[in-house]
Amino acid sequence: MIDTLFLVAILQIVTATSILFVWVVRYKNIIQEFEQYNLPSWLRDVVGIFKLSFAIMLLIGIFDERFKIIGAGGLSLLMIAAFLTHLNVKNPIYKTLPSITLLSFSVIILLSSFM
């Protein structure tokens, strides 16, 4: 049987890698999205700093539980905000799905710390 800690570590890697990919490799899409939603560039920068920081904390959290809790908790809050933003601008479900998925992963990771 596969160990639960191993599965949670895989979720941490997948979640962190997804965030890092979108906010580093596909950053031009982030710029366009924030402009399309009429959100200020300073907010985009603040969100990016937090998302990248929390993603790195998730990776460190594989070895140190405290970082896992902070990273997963922070990403959960940011993904709730992303989901609500997608709803507010009436995006189609395919654009909302990544925030729901990453929110789910972050909550599972967070809850694993308390089980």
Side-chain angles (χ1 to χ4, degrees):
M1 182 154 186
I2 298 177
D3 185 25
T4 304
L5 289 176
F6 177 74
L7 291 175
V8 171
I10 296 296
L11 272 183
Q12 287 172 251
I13 292 167
V14 168
T15 304
T17 303
S18 298
I19 299 287
L20 292 168
F21 180 78
V22 169
W23 282 84
V24 175
V25 177
R26 300 191 67 209
Y27 188 65
K28 287 183 181 179
N29 291 10
I30 296 295
I31 293 171
Q32 291 172 345
E33 222 173 64
F34 271 72
E35 287 174 355
Q36 177 186 359
Y37 303 157
N38 292 319
L39 297 171
S41 59
W42 66 264
L43 180 61
R44 179 195 65 229
D45 295 341
V46 169
V47 169
I49 289 167
F50 277 115
K51 280 195 178 181
L52 294 172
S53 299
F54 292 142
I56 292 167
M57 286 182 201
L58 276 187
L59 295 175
I60 296 169
I62 294 169
F63 308 102
D64 187 333
E65 188 81 9
R66 296 170 296 179
F67 285 96
K68 178 169 93 169
I69 293 168
I70 297 168
L75 282 177
S76 294
L77 293 174
L78 289 173
M79 289 302 131
I80 290 169
F83 174 69
L84 293 174
T85 301
H86 286 291
L87 288 180
N88 189 44
V89 298
K90 297 176 177 48
N91 268 341
I93 190 69
Y94 75 91
K95 285 195 170 195
T96 306
L97 200 54
S99 63
I100 296 169
T101 303
L102 291 176
L103 171 60
S104 300
F105 288 175
S106 297
V107 169
I108 291 167
I109 294 165
L110 183 61
L111 292 177
S112 75
S113 297
F114 301 103
M115 296 181 159

